[in-house]
Amino acid sequence: MEGSSKGGVLSHLSLLEAKARSRKTQLHQIKELRDKVEALRIQRDQLRAEIETHKILQKVRASLDKKCTKGGEEEELQVKEGEKMNEDSEHSQLLRLMARHTQLKDLLHAHHIIGGYNITKTIQGRRVCASLATAYEGVYLETYNVEFDLKPTVRIRRHDVPPFIPVDSLAEQSNMQTDIRAFLDTLSKYLNGYAGRKQQLKLVKERHKSVEVMESNVLCSILVMLLTVPGERVTVLCTLKYTDHTRCLPTGVYVQCEADKELPDSPQWKNNCSLLMETPVHKALTIMRDRWIIA
Amino acid sequence: MERHHNSVTKTPLDRVQRRSKSKSYRQSLRSCLGATCLTPALTTRRLNISRRAPKSHNITEKVNPEQLALMVKTEWQLSYVTPLYQFRHTQLKSYSRQLSAFIAAEKQQGLAVEVEGSHGSFRVSFSVVQGMSEAADDAETVLIQIHLKRLFSRQDEPAKVVWSGLLTCINGSPDYLRSLPKDFTCLPLLCSSGAEGLTSAVKSWFQQTFDCYFGQLEISHTSLQWMIALWTNCQTESAIQFLKMIWTLPVVPPLKVTYTVNGQDAWELWSSVRKDPQKEGNGEDEDENSIDIEEVMRFMQGLKSHFYRHFRLDLSAGKLDQVSTALGSAKCSGMIKISNSKYMISTLTLLTECALLKMPI
Amino acid sequence: MGDSTKSLLQRIIRRIPSRAIESTLRKWGRLTAEQLQSIDFTQPKWTVTQELLDMCEEGNWTLKFITELEMSYIIDNPNQGMWYAYQLMNPEDDANSVELTQFKEQFKSHLKQLVRHISLKMKKHTDEAVWIRIAWGDRFFQPNHMKPTYAVHYLQTPYVFVTSLTSKHKPLFSQAMTLSTRYQAIKDANLSGRNLTAIRDLLMRQFQQAFPTKHPSPLAERNQTVSHPRIEKEQDGNAANRLELACEAFGGGTLPQLQSAVYKLETKFRDQTNKAMTEREESFKCIVKFASTNLLESLRHCASSGFASTPVTPLLSSISLKGKNYFVITDNSPGAASQPRRAQDK
């Protein structure tokens, strides 16, 4: 039939057209893939070069570390080893510097991790910011910052230390112009003392629900607790005073009992008082609870 | 921006030439479009680049003291009005009756007229404020007041004024005024004070009766700056005491900056930016008293730079919202208060000009 | 006595918004469960007020009860009215060890010595704040409970926050305060605002300040959003820099809500282009007031978006830095002429 033969030719033509088109796209795809392969090869070569440099860097770093730790004993040996590396001498200077840089960075990071002061210089050395970390019983607590202007004189510009810690009077007392370190050390003691006491109070409230905290203050320098003696239904008012604000232990423990006036003088409670003087309050209370002294 | 020649200002020679050129242009335009054309084309109008310093006009003798007291103590909301068709100053009594009836009808229809104790009858009074206009072409100022007499008040208890309006044209451009056809009265500035419902009722009545159109007149940034300069310039005659400017900065949340300068210090800064008066030429008084826009700009720049020196914050980034001195206050939303009657005429002149600029025809 | 009690109760209930009445009464704890149940809080306020007045009549509520209710409401909703901060100066040696009971007793006794008729209430809040309510009377008149003064003090800090203290009573209050806290003097801290929490946070350094640090906080490291690698915004570096400086000047995160800051400038006019004014001897007197619903937020946005040049001038950064919002600026600082003037403490 005419239609079918025409259809045959036309369909054949359209088939050929489609084939030609697909070949074009195929060629296009092949070109794309080739480009990709090229790019990947370049990337692989780059990575290989980086790995090589990194390996050499590690070697240099290792030798530097050894130098630092072992002092000058085996220095001669190391020097000889180092001489071997002088083959590509143009790079060795640079590599040594890079290794030293990574060493210093790691040192700073270690310093940061162990809680030392982080000092950051800003504005071309005219200003310095010190971060003081506080910790208690192995747990990191708040970090406080103090920013100093270095020129014309060393002066505190701003800080985020709460006002009950007398930063300004501490600054006046220590000679900041020559020894910032002393000031920071003292401030750190006060801050750590405060953080420690605050943490103790928090733990007391969490772990000892039977103990009622009657009075405390923002500085955590006073703690008045109401303890219950089990069985006898007697309440004891226990006051802890922390007059030394750099310490986490109290400087004075006072016990009062309304029902039984003799109780504070009993040997048991005298023991408890000395326990409270020597042990952090939350631990002391736990001990007392375990010994059935308090509920 | 539209530009407008002010033929009142005397200017050096070259400006005179420009003026006459545009005048002839306008005349030819008019003749082209025929006598029915109302006004010159917009493009020929120019904003004032130079103004006369405000003279203090002692109008207390000329104007009815009651009316003057009202004008001075009220803070007015400004609108512009297109020329009124067949408005007769002789028919004011009839207008009063018509408007009272109109408002009563509106109230019945339930139009919200939020006046306290609006249970009562409204009485409108139209009156002419004599002694305000200086120029021959200006129409007389009309004062409209709406009184409310409460339902259960005593006979002798005076009705309280709950709405006031002032229709005025002070020193309007003579070219424009003369170009209006015979039956039109130009009172381009409406100052209103009172409940919004009453304001819209009055406006509707005017629109119906005189075939006019009302639009909100905002005081532009440039006009506010002119006011700052013009008021500060009055320091020697009447102490401005302080110059207070309020800017708004477009931050989140918006920051409002109120910058108040001691009056005397503001005046000293202003006099330091004035150009030396030119002794040459005709030696007319108006030359010494003319203020250029450049001087105004320098003054503003001085104020802003003092601010910038301290706060490193550029006030140009914000919008100037309000200006006030002891002589009066102006807000960009179109509120004006003229506290000293001596400068009533000059301030109204500036505002009339702003209103004329906004005319759609 | 009953009438004044009732009118005080009425006034207090009027002040409390309708939605807060039930919770405030519950917290007050003086109404029994049945009484609370019997009131229908969905009724209009004046009905509820009437019911409470009846209960007051029946229960014979004393002034003490009612003032307790007021204090409890104010402590929970302190951000209304105008609060002023004061600073105690020159502590004695034992200022640091002042205890609560000692402070309370001393304050009461000092104030009672100074004023014949006074009604005093002191309460310690859970955040260690000591709240003081004073209704002032004098030799002839009983304490006026309609206009009480409220004061907040944290022991061992030098700050006191006060609202509704008239100038007549200010010296009496100051004296009692300094004596009982063992300081020598008290002065205006030049900080005021509607929000007690805001001015307290500012002075107690309880807001987030931004310090330059090499080690960004863990949260910041995690939250670094990486936009499309191929798109590099030209202004990114500048914008980041401005944001950093803005945060350093005013604080990071949520800022304490101050409403205004006022600067009284009495400095000379200096402008290169204006000789006449520059040579002038007298100062150019002006007053600048910044106002916003959250002033520090607005200023920080000004700095970070470039309206204000960075680094931020010490005049503006002193608001957060020194915890003040009233400054008098004169030409006295020995700095270079081109630098902006330093803030002087009034």
Side-chain angles (χ1 to χ4, degrees):
Chain A
M1 282 190 10
E2 273 186 354
S4 62
S5 66
K6 270 206 189 124
V9 168
L10 281 175
S11 67
H12 190 64
L13 276 173
S14 58
L15 263 172
L16 287 172
E17 200 183 350
K19 263 195 199 154
R21 220 180 283 141
S22 71
R23 200 167 291 148
K24 263 200 204 141
T25 53
Q26 270 182 359
L27 285 171
H28 190 64
Q29 275 175 348
I30 292 172
K31 186 169 181 307
E32 270 186 16
L33 287 169
R34 282 216 181 104
D35 288 337
K36 201 167 178 188
V37 165
E38 207 39 60
L40 284 170
R41 274 207 192 113
I42 296 175
Q43 205 179 14
R44 181 201 63 190
D45 292 335
Q46 263 184 345
L47 284 169
R48 274 195 189 147
E50 276 182 31
I51 292 174
E52 280 305 314
T53 332
H54 197 68
K55 280 191 191 151
I56 302 176
L57 204 58
Q58 277 191 327
K59 273 193 208 147
V60 179
R61 174 69 191 275
S63 72
L64 266 178
D65 286 340
K66 275 194 206 140
K67 247 193 239 173
C68 291
T69 52
K70 290 189 182 168
E73 282 182 26
E74 302 180 17
E75 209 177 307
E76 291 178 18
L77 265 170
Q78 304 299 343
V79 167
K80 280 187 194 147
E81 268 188 42
E83 278 174 2
K84 274 186 208 165
M85 265 206 323
N86 278 337
E87 283 161 20
D88 42 336
S89 55
E90 37 187 275
H91 297 301
S92 67
Q93 256 300 51
L94 180 64
L95 285 170
R96 213 167 286 151
L97 277 171
M98 283 173 72
R100 181 87 179 123
H101 180 241
T102 54
Q103 194 183 39
L104 287 172
K105 265 174 67 177
D106 286 346
L107 197 62
L108 261 176
H109 192 58
H111 181 74
H112 165 67
I113 294 176
I114 62 169
Y117 315 139
N118 293 321
I119 306 246
T120 325
K121 259 194 186 176
T122 55
I123 312 189
Q124 295 113 15
R126 290 211 305 267
R127 216 178 268 171
V128 147
C129 178
S131 303
L132 295 102
T134 55
Y136 184 69
E137 286 185 344
V139 178
Y140 267 112
L141 302 165
E142 297 268 332
T143 311
Y144 297 95
N145 301 279
V146 184
E147 206 177 36
F148 299 91
D149 269 326
L150 293 180
K151 298 184 181 132
T153 52
V154 180
R155 209 173 50 93
I156 297 180
R157 185 169 178 262
R158 63 184 176 125
H159 61 81
D160 59 359
V161 178
F164 39 83
I165 298 196
V167 178
D168 295 319
S169 60
L170 284 177
E172 278 171 36
Q173 283 166 21
S174 65
N175 191 352
M176 270 201 310
Q177 312 303 323
T178 47
D179 193 4
I180 289 191
R181 180 67 191 276
F183 163 67
L184 286 175
D185 281 344
T186 326
L187 182 60
S188 175
K189 274 197 219 142
Y190 273 86
L191 288 170
N192 274 292
Y194 161 65
R197 296 193 301 273
K198 191 164 112 172
Q199 185 70 350
Q200 287 177 48
L201 178 60
K202 180 169 160 239
L203 292 169
V204 163
K205 285 185 180 165
E206 273 175 24
R207 296 181 188 171
H208 299 272
K209 302 284 185 193
S210 58
V211 172
E212 195 182 330
V213 174
M214 304 293 289
E215 189 185 326
S216 57
N217 61 0
V218 271
L219 181 52
C220 298
S221 61
I222 186 162
L223 185 58
V224 181
M225 303 177 286
L226 198 64
L227 311 167
T228 26
V229 180
E232 291 163 46
R233 287 208 208 146
V234 163
T235 54
V236 179
L237 198 71
C238 181
T239 307
L240 299 170
K241 287 198 182 170
Y242 301 80
T243 46
D244 184 353
H245 298 146
T246 59
R247 291 182 57 213
C248 297
L249 290 172
T251 48
V253 180
Y254 311 95
V255 171
Q256 272 178 297
C257 181
E258 282 243 351
D260 182 0
K261 305 281 178 189
E262 309 283 307
L263 196 102
D265 296 320
S266 65
Q268 191 197 46
W269 276 94
K270 282 223 162 93
N271 265 349
N272 294 334
C273 284
S274 50
L275 179 69
L276 283 164
M277 287 280 282
E278 288 154 19
T279 333
V281 63
H282 60 294
K283 286 194 179 141
L285 288 175
T286 319
I287 296 173
M288 284 160 75
R289 189 175 55 190
D290 292 339
R291 289 188 197 160
W292 277 91
I293 304 172
I294 58 166
Chain B
M1 185 135 106
E2 301 167 337
R3 306 210 147 254
H4 166 62
H5 271 306
N6 185 355
S7 48
V8 177
T9 315
K10 296 286 192 292
T11 50
L13 242 57
D14 62 308
R15 288 206 191 132
V16 172
Q17 281 173 347
R18 254 195 299 171
R19 191 183 71 214
S20 58
K21 187 167 110 182
S22 70
K23 189 170 177 187
S24 62
Y25 171 58
R26 268 182 283 153
Q27 281 175 332
S28 63
L29 186 66
R30 231 178 296 144
S31 62
C32 277
L33 297 175
T36 52
C37 166
L38 270 181
T39 59
L42 282 173
T43 48
T44 60
R45 294 207 202 129
R46 282 178 184 279
L47 249 192
N48 258 340
I49 45 174
S50 178
R51 281 183 202 282
R52 211 167 43 197
K55 287 198 302 206
S56 73
H57 301 243
N58 205 338
I59 58 173
T60 46
E61 290 147 25
K62 295 194 236 169
V63 182
N64 177 337
E66 251 182 53
Q67 291 175 330
L68 194 61
L70 174 74
M71 291 201 291
V72 162
K73 77 173 172 121
T74 323
E75 186 174 33
W76 301 103
Q77 175 72 47
L78 300 172
S79 323
Y80 68 85
V81 194
T82 55
L84 306 165
Y85 182 62
Q86 292 192 329
F87 179 88
R88 306 269 176 267
H89 281 85
T90 48
Q91 302 244 4
L92 293 182
K93 274 223 159 54
S94 147
Y95 295 152
S96 313
R97 281 198 302 273
Q98 290 176 36
L99 185 51
S100 310
F102 181 80
I103 292 181
E106 288 286 306
K107 225 182 95 188
Q108 279 215 330
Q109 277 180 23
L111 184 75
V113 178
E114 292 142 13
V115 180
E116 61 172 62
S118 51
H119 308 286
S121 58
F122 289 105
R123 181 176 67 80
V124 182
S125 70
F126 277 65
S127 48
V128 173
V129 182
Q130 303 272 12
M132 291 273 288
S133 53
E134 292 199 326
D137 295 310
D138 290 338
E140 290 281 349
T141 306
V142 178
L143 173 66
I144 307 163
Q145 287 187 295
I146 301 183
H147 309 257
L148 171 67
K149 197 156 174 80
R150 277 181 228 268
L151 268 180
F152 301 108
S153 63
R154 300 192 306 270
Q155 275 287 57
D156 52 347
E157 197 180 309
K160 199 173 104 173
V161 175
V162 292
W163 192 90
S164 318
L166 208 61
L167 271 171
T168 177
C169 176
I170 309 285
N171 289 321
S173 149
D175 287 335
Y176 176 79
L177 293 173
R178 282 181 216 143
S179 70
L180 293 174
K182 218 171 37 148
D183 279 334
F184 280 87
T185 314
C186 184
L187 286 165
L189 190 64
L190 168 70
C191 310
S192 58
S193 156
E196 184 54 44
L198 285 171
T199 313
S200 47
V202 172
K203 284 184 182 172
S204 328
W205 181 77
F206 265 88
Q207 283 177 331
Q208 280 176 17
T209 321
F210 304 109
D211 195 20
C212 60
Y213 177 76
F214 286 82
Q216 199 191 5
L217 181 64
E218 281 148 0
I219 304 181
S220 72
H221 179 243
T222 320
S223 305
L224 282 174
Q225 290 182 324
W226 271 112
M227 291 210 173
I228 292 178
L230 296 176
W231 274 332
T232 312
N233 198 53
C234 303
Q235 169 74 2
T236 42
E237 279 183 1
S238 344
I240 59 170
Q241 287 171 23
F242 58 87
L243 170 63
K244 183 162 95 165
M245 298 164 276
I246 301 184
W247 266 275
T248 318
L249 283 152
V251 285
V252 174
L255 182 65
K256 184 172 101 163
V257 181
T258 312
Y259 184 11
T260 314
V261 183
N262 172 283
Q264 186 60 28
D265 292 330
W267 187 79
E268 290 202 21
L269 177 63
W270 169 244
S271 27
S272 73
V273 300
R274 296 297 309 275
K275 290 201 287 242
D276 296 315
Q278 286 158 358
K279 300 293 183 187
E280 60 170 283
N282 310 350
E284 296 175 43
D285 302 36
E286 292 153 85
D287 252 333
E288 286 168 19
N289 274 336
S290 79
I291 298 174
D292 276 344
I293 188 112
E294 285 147 11
E295 293 171 327
V296 177
M297 288 303 154
R298 278 206 297 272
F299 181 55
M300 293 303 298
Q301 195 49 43
L303 291 169
K304 285 184 198 167
S305 73
H306 184 75
F307 186 89
Y308 185 81
R309 195 165 74 82
H310 291 84
F311 299 101
R312 301 194 50 164
L313 189 58
D314 194 357
L315 283 171
S316 314
K319 177 169 164 253
L320 182 56
D321 278 336
Q322 190 179 335
V323 167
S324 58
T325 63
L327 304 176
S329 74
K331 293 187 190 155
C332 74
S333 57
M335 307 280 288
I336 185 99
K337 181 162 190 242
I338 307 168
S339 316
N340 190 325
S341 61
K342 283 204 269 190
Y343 303 102
M344 179 76 63
I345 302 292
S346 359
T347 316
L348 287 176
T349 310
L350 190 120
L351 294 172
T352 309
E353 196 181 302
C354 292
L356 283 174
L357 270 173
K358 274 219 131 185
M359 289 297 180
I361 41 153
Chain C
M1 202 53 173
D3 271 344
S4 63
T5 318
K6 278 169 115 180
S7 51
L8 181 63
L9 179 62
Q10 211 165 7
R11 189 193 159 97
I12 294 170
I13 301 291
R14 199 170 353 134
R15 205 172 156 182
I16 304 176
S18 314
R19 58 177 187 276
I21 293 188
E22 186 174 356
S23 49
T24 313
L25 287 172
R26 226 174 265 279
K27 241 202 180 134
W28 182 38
R30 288 280 183 188
L31 291 176
T32 63
E34 302 155 336
Q35 282 176 313
L36 274 170
Q37 283 243 324
S38 68
I39 305 177
D40 180 8
F41 290 100
T42 56
Q43 291 172 323
K45 207 192 224 181
W46 56 270
T47 326
V48 177
T49 315
Q50 208 48 49
E51 290 190 30
L52 285 168
L53 284 171
D54 294 335
M55 276 189 206
C56 171
E57 184 90 44
E58 290 166 29
N60 235 337
W61 290 352
T62 57
L63 213 53
K64 187 162 171 271
F65 278 19
I66 316 286
T67 53
E68 222 176 58
L69 174 64
E70 190 194 69
M71 197 155 171
S72 153
Y73 172 67
I74 302 277
I75 292 179
D76 280 339
N77 302 275
N79 297 332
Q80 33 185 300
M82 202 61 180
W83 289 89
Y84 298 87
Y86 292 91
Q87 188 172 354
L88 295 156
M89 310 287 291
N90 304 330
E92 309 272 6
D93 292 328
D94 52 348
N96 240 344
S97 47
V98 171
E99 283 175 48
L100 181 63
T101 30
Q102 174 193 356
F103 169 68
K104 277 174 153 177
E105 281 167 12
Q106 290 277 306
F107 188 77
K108 278 193 183 141
S109 73
H110 282 300
L111 210 51
K112 291 215 158 117
Q113 272 177 9
L114 294 168
V115 186
R116 173 87 72 87
H117 287 129
I118 199 160
S119 166
L120 197 59
K121 217 179 188 66
M122 296 174 82
K123 183 172 169 190
K124 181 104 174 303
H125 194 49
T126 44
D127 66 347
E128 315 297 357
V130 183
W131 278 78
I132 307 170
R133 179 186 188 273
I134 310 170
W136 303 89
D138 62 18
R139 239 180 330 149
F140 305 111
F141 296 105
Q142 289 297 315
N144 179 3
H145 282 277
M146 296 300 190
K147 295 197 179 132
T149 302
Y150 276 91
V152 181
H153 176 57
Y154 291 80
L155 287 172
Q156 276 80 50
T157 67
Y159 301 112
V160 186
F161 307 97
V162 191
T163 182
S164 313
L165 181 65
T166 59
S167 45
K168 181 171 142 199
H169 299 133
K170 194 156 147 191
L172 307 166
F173 177 79
S174 308
Q175 192 171 340
M177 202 69 198
T178 46
L179 288 171
S180 51
T181 52
R182 309 291 296 139
Y183 277 78
Q184 282 176 18
I186 187 169
K187 70 161 190 170
D188 194 345
N190 284 331
L191 179 65
S192 62
R194 283 193 189 287
N195 231 302
L196 172 65
T197 28
I199 60 176
R200 184 205 60 201
D201 286 346
L202 209 56
L203 286 175
M204 303 280 275
R205 302 257 173 267
Q206 271 168 14
F207 64 102
Q208 197 184 343
Q209 286 177 278
F211 285 93
T213 165
K214 278 208 187 71
H215 305 269
S217 59
L219 230 62
E221 280 170 333
R222 233 177 281 154
N223 279 352
Q224 266 164 17
T225 47
V226 182
S227 54
H228 197 284
R230 298 237 178 93
I231 298 177
E232 195 182 293
K233 289 198 189 149
E234 253 186 53
Q235 289 292 318
D236 256 356
N238 283 347
N241 200 25
R242 279 199 300 265
L243 183 60
E244 195 186 310
L245 288 168
C247 286
E248 230 176 89
F250 301 108
T254 339
L255 294 170
Q257 238 184 330
L258 286 181
Q259 288 81 38
S260 68
V262 175
Y263 294 82
K264 199 164 154 199
L265 301 176
E266 283 166 13
T267 52
K268 288 217 207 131
F269 190 94
R270 292 247 172 86
D271 190 355
Q272 302 288 10
T273 57
N274 194 332
K275 260 203 168 148
M277 285 302 282
T278 314
E279 286 164 11
R280 197 165 160 250
E281 281 291 321
E282 301 97 22
S283 50
F284 192 78
K285 294 177 284 297
C286 53
I287 298 180
V288 176
K289 178 173 166 185
F290 294 93
S292 162
T293 47
N294 188 339
L295 179 72
L296 290 173
E297 192 67 57
S298 294
L299 289 173
R300 185 172 66 179
H301 195 209
C302 277
S304 63
S305 55
F307 288 119
S309 312
T310 46
V312 180
T313 160
L315 258 69
L316 289 176
S317 56
S318 296
I319 303 177
S320 285
L321 218 81
K322 299 202 180 152
K324 290 168 66 169
N325 66 355
Y326 177 77
F327 301 90
V328 176
I329 316 286
T330 56
D331 274 321
N332 286 344
S333 74
S338 56
Q339 271 185 354
R341 297 290 158 228
R342 285 194 172 277
Q344 294 282 325
D345 288 41
K346 191 182 178 193

